[in-house]
Amino acid sequence: MTATDRAVELTRAAAEAASDKLAQDIVAYDVSEQLALTDVFLLCSASNPRQVKAVQDAVEERMIELGVKAVRREGEREGRWVLLDFQDIVVHVQHQEERVFYALERLWSDCPVVALP
């Protein structure tokens, strides 16, 4: 099983929104084979808590335009690692230090990468 077309569409839109707010190291993994809860993990980095918030807001606004709302948010208050769960995709916006420390890419490196524009 692979990520649905809708999940890929949402992933690309979220990646574009994150990029518009200068998020860095944007990568997406098709985790549909390993997880029953979601199809894609989108990871991106921001250089400070304010930028983490800006990326979060941009992604959420774009998803609302596409008719999707986050069913869960984690980490908003700290502004270091925000997780946005849109069911089909989960977006991780991480401060650069958290990105290096937790190294989610290493955990999901066996999963196929979703091509992003």
Side-chain angles (χ1 to χ4, degrees):
M1 179 181 246
T2 60
T4 65
D5 290 341
R6 177 68 170 161
V8 172
E9 173 191 2
L10 295 174
T11 300
R12 291 182 176 151
E16 187 176 286
S19 179
D20 288 348
K21 293 300 179 184
L22 306 179
Q24 302 153 352
D25 302 321
I26 303 170
V27 64
Y29 293 100
D30 180 340
V31 297
S32 60
E33 293 281 326
Q34 286 73 23
L35 297 174
L37 301 174
T38 192
D39 284 353
V40 178
F41 274 178
L42 177 69
L43 312 174
C44 62
S45 300
S47 59
N48 59 60
R50 180 177 281 170
Q51 187 184 17
V52 169
K53 176 68 172 149
V55 171
Q56 171 193 348
D57 290 346
V59 169
E60 287 193 278
E61 286 173 19
R62 183 70 177 115
M63 293 298 101
I64 288 170
E65 290 172 8
L66 294 171
V68 180
K69 287 187 177 183
V71 295
R72 189 172 64 126
R73 284 180 206 86
E74 299 289 335
E76 282 181 284
R77 189 177 311 205
E78 297 81 18
R80 306 280 301 173
W81 180 354
V82 175
L83 179 144
L84 302 169
D85 182 351
F86 297 101
Q87 291 184 318
D88 290 335
I89 70 169
V90 174
V91 179
H92 298 268
V93 183
Q94 296 178 298
H95 188 278
Q96 290 169 337
E97 293 170 3
E98 273 69 13
R99 180 86 178 256
V100 170
F101 182 79
Y102 290 102
L104 294 179
E105 290 91 340
R106 189 178 65 230
L107 294 173
W108 301 106
S109 62
D110 292 341
C111 297
V113 174
V114 176
L116 301 174

Short mmCIF file of all heavy atoms in Angstrom, two decimals, residues 62-100:
data_model
loop_
_atom_site.label_atom_id
_atom_site.label_comp_id
_atom_site.label_asym_id
_atom_site.label_seq_id
_atom_site.Cartn_x
_atom_site.Cartn_y
_atom_site.Cartn_z
N ARG A 62 -3.09 26.84 4.61
CA ARG A 62 -3.15 26.16 3.31
C ARG A 62 -4.05 24.92 3.39
O ARG A 62 -4.83 24.64 2.48
CB ARG A 62 -1.75 25.78 2.85
CG ARG A 62 -1.71 25.13 1.50
CD ARG A 62 -2.06 26.15 0.41
NE ARG A 62 -1.94 25.52 -0.88
CZ ARG A 62 -2.96 25.30 -1.71
NH1 ARG A 62 -4.16 25.72 -1.40
NH2 ARG A 62 -2.78 24.69 -2.84
N MET A 63 -3.95 24.19 4.47
CA MET A 63 -4.78 22.99 4.62
C MET A 63 -6.26 23.36 4.72
O MET A 63 -7.11 22.68 4.13
CB MET A 63 -4.36 22.19 5.86
CG MET A 63 -2.98 21.56 5.78
SD MET A 63 -2.82 20.33 4.46
CE MET A 63 -1.95 21.29 3.23
N ILE A 64 -6.56 24.44 5.41
CA ILE A 64 -7.95 24.90 5.51
C ILE A 64 -8.49 25.26 4.13
O ILE A 64 -9.63 24.95 3.79
CB ILE A 64 -8.08 26.07 6.51
CG1 ILE A 64 -7.90 25.54 7.94
CG2 ILE A 64 -9.41 26.79 6.36
CD1 ILE A 64 -7.77 26.60 9.00
N GLU A 65 -7.65 25.90 3.30
CA GLU A 65 -8.05 26.21 1.93
C GLU A 65 -8.41 24.94 1.15
O GLU A 65 -9.25 24.97 0.25
CB GLU A 65 -6.93 26.94 1.19
CG GLU A 65 -6.68 28.35 1.67
CD GLU A 65 -5.43 28.97 1.05
OE1 GLU A 65 -4.84 28.36 0.13
OE2 GLU A 65 -5.04 30.06 1.49
N LEU A 66 -7.77 23.84 1.50
CA LEU A 66 -8.01 22.56 0.83
C LEU A 66 -9.09 21.73 1.54
O LEU A 66 -9.31 20.58 1.20
CB LEU A 66 -6.71 21.76 0.73
CG LEU A 66 -5.64 22.38 -0.17
CD1 LEU A 66 -4.33 21.64 -0.03
CD2 LEU A 66 -6.11 22.40 -1.62
N GLY A 67 -9.73 22.33 2.55
CA GLY A 67 -10.82 21.66 3.23
C GLY A 67 -10.43 20.69 4.33
O GLY A 67 -11.19 19.81 4.69
N VAL A 68 -9.22 20.86 4.87
CA VAL A 68 -8.71 19.95 5.89
C VAL A 68 -8.31 20.75 7.13
O VAL A 68 -7.65 21.78 7.02
CB VAL A 68 -7.48 19.17 5.37
CG1 VAL A 68 -6.93 18.23 6.43
CG2 VAL A 68 -7.81 18.41 4.10
N LYS A 69 -8.73 20.27 8.30
CA LYS A 69 -8.33 20.90 9.56
C LYS A 69 -7.49 19.92 10.36
O LYS A 69 -7.68 18.71 10.28
CB LYS A 69 -9.55 21.28 10.38
CG LYS A 69 -10.30 22.46 9.86
CD LYS A 69 -11.38 22.87 10.83
CE LYS A 69 -12.08 24.12 10.34
NZ LYS A 69 -13.09 24.57 11.28
N ALA A 70 -6.59 20.46 11.15
CA ALA A 70 -5.77 19.62 12.02
C ALA A 70 -6.67 18.98 13.08
O ALA A 70 -7.48 19.66 13.70
CB ALA A 70 -4.68 20.45 12.69
N VAL A 71 -6.54 17.68 13.24
CA VAL A 71 -7.30 16.99 14.28
C VAL A 71 -6.54 17.01 15.61
O VAL A 71 -7.12 16.74 16.65
CB VAL A 71 -7.64 15.53 13.89
CG1 VAL A 71 -8.58 15.51 12.70
CG2 VAL A 71 -6.40 14.72 13.62
N ARG A 72 -5.23 17.33 15.52
CA ARG A 72 -4.43 17.39 16.73
C ARG A 72 -3.22 18.28 16.48
O ARG A 72 -2.65 18.29 15.40
CB ARG A 72 -3.97 15.98 17.10
CG ARG A 72 -3.31 15.88 18.45
CD ARG A 72 -3.08 14.44 18.81
NE ARG A 72 -2.15 13.84 17.87
CZ ARG A 72 -1.04 13.22 18.24
NH1 ARG A 72 -0.72 13.10 19.49
NH2 ARG A 72 -0.24 12.69 17.33
N ARG A 73 -2.85 19.02 17.52
CA ARG A 73 -1.65 19.85 17.50
C ARG A 73 -0.88 19.58 18.78
O ARG A 73 -1.46 19.51 19.85
CB ARG A 73 -2.00 21.33 17.50
CG ARG A 73 -2.48 21.88 16.23
CD ARG A 73 -2.79 23.39 16.42
NE ARG A 73 -3.78 23.78 15.45
CZ ARG A 73 -5.08 23.67 15.60
NH1 ARG A 73 -5.59 23.18 16.70
NH2 ARG A 73 -5.91 24.05 14.66
N GLU A 74 0.42 19.50 18.67
CA GLU A 74 1.27 19.32 19.85
C GLU A 74 2.45 20.29 19.75
O GLU A 74 2.96 20.54 18.67
CB GLU A 74 1.82 17.88 19.91
CG GLU A 74 0.77 16.81 20.01
CD GLU A 74 0.08 16.75 21.35
OE1 GLU A 74 0.68 17.20 22.36
OE2 GLU A 74 -1.06 16.29 21.39
N GLY A 75 2.88 20.80 20.90
CA GLY A 75 4.10 21.59 20.96
C GLY A 75 3.99 23.06 20.62
O GLY A 75 5.00 23.74 20.52
N GLU A 76 2.78 23.56 20.45
CA GLU A 76 2.61 24.97 20.06
C GLU A 76 3.23 25.93 21.07
O GLU A 76 3.86 26.91 20.70
CB GLU A 76 1.14 25.31 19.93
CG GLU A 76 0.49 24.84 18.68
CD GLU A 76 -0.96 25.24 18.65
OE1 GLU A 76 -1.77 24.61 19.35
OE2 GLU A 76 -1.27 26.20 17.92
N ARG A 77 3.01 25.66 22.32
CA ARG A 77 3.43 26.59 23.37
C ARG A 77 4.94 26.78 23.39
O ARG A 77 5.44 27.89 23.53
CB ARG A 77 2.94 26.09 24.73
CG ARG A 77 3.16 27.11 25.83
CD ARG A 77 2.61 26.63 27.12
NE ARG A 77 1.24 26.16 26.92
CZ ARG A 77 0.33 26.11 27.85
NH1 ARG A 77 0.64 26.48 29.06
NH2 ARG A 77 -0.87 25.68 27.60
N GLU A 78 5.68 25.68 23.25
CA GLU A 78 7.14 25.77 23.33
C GLU A 78 7.76 26.36 22.07
O GLU A 78 8.80 26.99 22.12
CB GLU A 78 7.75 24.39 23.59
CG GLU A 78 7.35 23.78 24.92
CD GLU A 78 5.98 23.12 24.89
OE1 GLU A 78 5.46 22.81 23.78
OE2 GLU A 78 5.40 22.92 25.96
N GLY A 79 7.14 26.12 20.94
CA GLY A 79 7.64 26.67 19.68
C GLY A 79 8.94 26.06 19.21
O GLY A 79 9.67 26.65 18.43
N ARG A 80 9.24 24.84 19.66
CA ARG A 80 10.48 24.18 19.27
C ARG A 80 10.21 23.01 18.32
O ARG A 80 11.03 22.69 17.47
CB ARG A 80 11.23 23.66 20.51
CG ARG A 80 11.51 24.67 21.57
CD ARG A 80 12.67 25.53 21.31
NE ARG A 80 13.90 24.77 21.17
CZ ARG A 80 15.05 25.31 20.81
NH1 ARG A 80 15.12 26.59 20.54
NH2 ARG A 80 16.11 24.58 20.68
N TRP A 81 9.08 22.35 18.52
CA TRP A 81 8.69 21.23 17.66
C TRP A 81 7.17 21.18 17.67
O TRP A 81 6.55 20.82 18.66
CB TRP A 81 9.26 19.94 18.19
CG TRP A 81 8.93 18.70 17.40
CD1 TRP A 81 8.08 18.58 16.33
CD2 TRP A 81 9.45 17.40 17.63
NE1 TRP A 81 8.04 17.29 15.89
CE2 TRP A 81 8.88 16.53 16.67
CE3 TRP A 81 10.34 16.87 18.55
CZ2 TRP A 81 9.17 15.18 16.61
CZ3 TRP A 81 10.63 15.52 18.50
CH2 TRP A 81 10.06 14.69 17.54
N VAL A 82 6.58 21.54 16.57
CA VAL A 82 5.13 21.52 16.45
C VAL A 82 4.75 20.34 15.55
O VAL A 82 5.30 20.17 14.46
CB VAL A 82 4.59 22.84 15.86
CG1 VAL A 82 3.10 22.76 15.61
CG2 VAL A 82 4.92 24.00 16.78
N LEU A 83 3.82 19.54 16.04
CA LEU A 83 3.29 18.42 15.27
C LEU A 83 1.85 18.78 14.90
O LEU A 83 1.05 19.13 15.76
CB LEU A 83 3.31 17.15 16.11
CG LEU A 83 2.76 15.90 15.45
CD1 LEU A 83 3.57 14.70 15.88
CD2 LEU A 83 1.30 15.69 15.76
N LEU A 84 1.55 18.71 13.62
CA LEU A 84 0.21 18.97 13.10
C LEU A 84 -0.31 17.70 12.45
O LEU A 84 0.26 17.22 11.46
CB LEU A 84 0.24 20.10 12.07
CG LEU A 84 0.79 21.44 12.55
CD1 LEU A 84 1.01 22.36 11.37
CD2 LEU A 84 -0.16 22.05 13.54
N ASP A 85 -1.38 17.16 12.99
CA ASP A 85 -1.94 15.91 12.49
C ASP A 85 -3.19 16.23 11.66
O ASP A 85 -4.19 16.70 12.19
CB ASP A 85 -2.30 15.01 13.67
CG ASP A 85 -2.85 13.66 13.25
OD1 ASP A 85 -3.13 13.46 12.05
OD2 ASP A 85 -3.01 12.80 14.14
N PHE A 86 -3.09 15.98 10.37
CA PHE A 86 -4.20 16.19 9.45
C PHE A 86 -4.80 14.86 8.99
O PHE A 86 -5.42 14.79 7.96
CB PHE A 86 -3.75 17.00 8.23
CG PHE A 86 -3.27 18.38 8.56
CD1 PHE A 86 -1.92 18.66 8.63
CD2 PHE A 86 -4.17 19.40 8.81
CE1 PHE A 86 -1.47 19.94 8.93
CE2 PHE A 86 -3.73 20.68 9.11
CZ PHE A 86 -2.37 20.94 9.18
N GLN A 87 -4.59 13.81 9.73
CA GLN A 87 -5.00 12.44 9.47
C GLN A 87 -4.26 11.81 8.29
O GLN A 87 -3.53 10.86 8.49
CB GLN A 87 -6.51 12.30 9.30
CG GLN A 87 -7.25 12.54 10.59
CD GLN A 87 -8.73 12.31 10.47
OE1 GLN A 87 -9.35 12.68 9.49
NE2 GLN A 87 -9.29 11.68 11.48
N ASP A 88 -4.42 12.33 7.09
CA ASP A 88 -3.71 11.75 5.95
C ASP A 88 -2.22 12.06 5.99
O ASP A 88 -1.41 11.28 5.48
CB ASP A 88 -4.29 12.28 4.62
CG ASP A 88 -5.67 11.74 4.34
OD1 ASP A 88 -6.01 10.66 4.85
OD2 ASP A 88 -6.42 12.40 3.60
N ILE A 89 -1.89 13.21 6.55
CA ILE A 89 -0.48 13.58 6.69
C ILE A 89 -0.25 14.12 8.10
O ILE A 89 -1.16 14.65 8.73
CB ILE A 89 -0.01 14.61 5.64
CG1 ILE A 89 -0.63 15.99 5.88
CG2 ILE A 89 -0.31 14.12 4.24
CD1 ILE A 89 0.00 17.09 5.05
N VAL A 90 0.99 13.98 8.55
CA VAL A 90 1.42 14.57 9.82
C VAL A 90 2.61 15.46 9.49
O VAL A 90 3.58 15.01 8.86
CB VAL A 90 1.80 13.50 10.86
CG1 VAL A 90 2.39 14.15 12.10
CG2 VAL A 90 0.59 12.65 11.23
N VAL A 91 2.52 16.72 9.90
CA VAL A 91 3.57 17.69 9.62
C VAL A 91 4.35 17.94 10.91
O VAL A 91 3.77 18.25 11.94
CB VAL A 91 2.98 19.01 9.09
CG1 VAL A 91 4.07 20.04 8.84
CG2 VAL A 91 2.16 18.75 7.82
N HIS A 92 5.67 17.82 10.81
CA HIS A 92 6.57 18.11 11.93
C HIS A 92 7.35 19.38 11.56
O HIS A 92 8.10 19.37 10.59
CB HIS A 92 7.57 16.98 12.14
CG HIS A 92 6.95 15.67 12.50
ND1 HIS A 92 6.76 15.29 13.81
CD2 HIS A 92 6.49 14.65 11.73
CE1 HIS A 92 6.21 14.09 13.82
NE2 HIS A 92 6.03 13.68 12.58
N VAL A 93 7.14 20.43 12.32
CA VAL A 93 7.92 21.67 12.13
C VAL A 93 8.85 21.74 13.34
O VAL A 93 8.40 21.93 14.47
CB VAL A 93 7.01 22.92 12.08
CG1 VAL A 93 7.87 24.16 11.80
CG2 VAL A 93 5.92 22.76 11.04
N GLN A 94 10.13 21.58 13.09
CA GLN A 94 11.09 21.49 14.19
C GLN A 94 12.12 22.61 14.13
O GLN A 94 12.57 22.99 13.05
CB GLN A 94 11.86 20.16 14.12
CG GLN A 94 10.98 18.95 14.31
CD GLN A 94 11.78 17.68 14.18
OE1 GLN A 94 12.34 17.40 13.13
NE2 GLN A 94 11.83 16.91 15.26
N HIS A 95 12.46 23.11 15.31
CA HIS A 95 13.62 23.99 15.42
C HIS A 95 14.82 23.18 14.97
O HIS A 95 14.87 21.96 15.18
CB HIS A 95 13.77 24.46 16.88
CG HIS A 95 14.80 25.52 17.06
ND1 HIS A 95 16.13 25.23 17.15
CD2 HIS A 95 14.68 26.86 17.17
CE1 HIS A 95 16.80 26.35 17.32
NE2 HIS A 95 15.95 27.36 17.33
N GLN A 96 15.79 23.81 14.36
CA GLN A 96 16.93 23.09 13.81
C GLN A 96 17.63 22.20 14.83
O GLN A 96 18.05 21.09 14.51
CB GLN A 96 17.93 24.08 13.20
CG GLN A 96 17.40 24.73 11.95
CD GLN A 96 18.23 25.89 11.47
OE1 GLN A 96 18.97 26.50 12.23
NE2 GLN A 96 18.10 26.21 10.19
N GLU A 97 17.74 22.66 16.08
CA GLU A 97 18.41 21.85 17.11
C GLU A 97 17.63 20.56 17.40
O GLU A 97 18.23 19.49 17.55
CB GLU A 97 18.59 22.66 18.39
CG GLU A 97 19.56 23.81 18.24
CD GLU A 97 19.55 24.76 19.42
OE1 GLU A 97 18.83 24.50 20.41
OE2 GLU A 97 20.27 25.76 19.36
N GLU A 98 16.32 20.65 17.48
CA GLU A 98 15.50 19.46 17.69
C GLU A 98 15.59 18.51 16.50
O GLU A 98 15.60 17.30 16.66
CB GLU A 98 14.04 19.84 17.94
CG GLU A 98 13.69 20.14 19.37
CD GLU A 98 14.30 21.43 19.91
OE1 GLU A 98 14.82 22.25 19.13
OE2 GLU A 98 14.27 21.61 21.11
N ARG A 99 15.65 19.08 15.33
CA ARG A 99 15.74 18.26 14.12
C ARG A 99 17.00 17.40 14.14
O ARG A 99 16.95 16.21 13.85
CB ARG A 99 15.72 19.17 12.89
CG ARG A 99 15.80 18.48 11.55
CD ARG A 99 14.44 18.05 11.06
NE ARG A 99 14.50 17.44 9.75
CZ ARG A 99 14.13 18.04 8.62
NH1 ARG A 99 13.68 19.26 8.64
NH2 ARG A 99 14.20 17.40 7.49
N VAL A 100 18.10 18.02 14.53
CA VAL A 100 19.36 17.28 14.61
C VAL A 100 19.31 16.25 15.74
O VAL A 100 19.69 15.09 15.56
CB VAL A 100 20.55 18.25 14.81
CG1 VAL A 100 21.83 17.49 15.13
CG2 VAL A 100 20.72 19.11 13.57
#
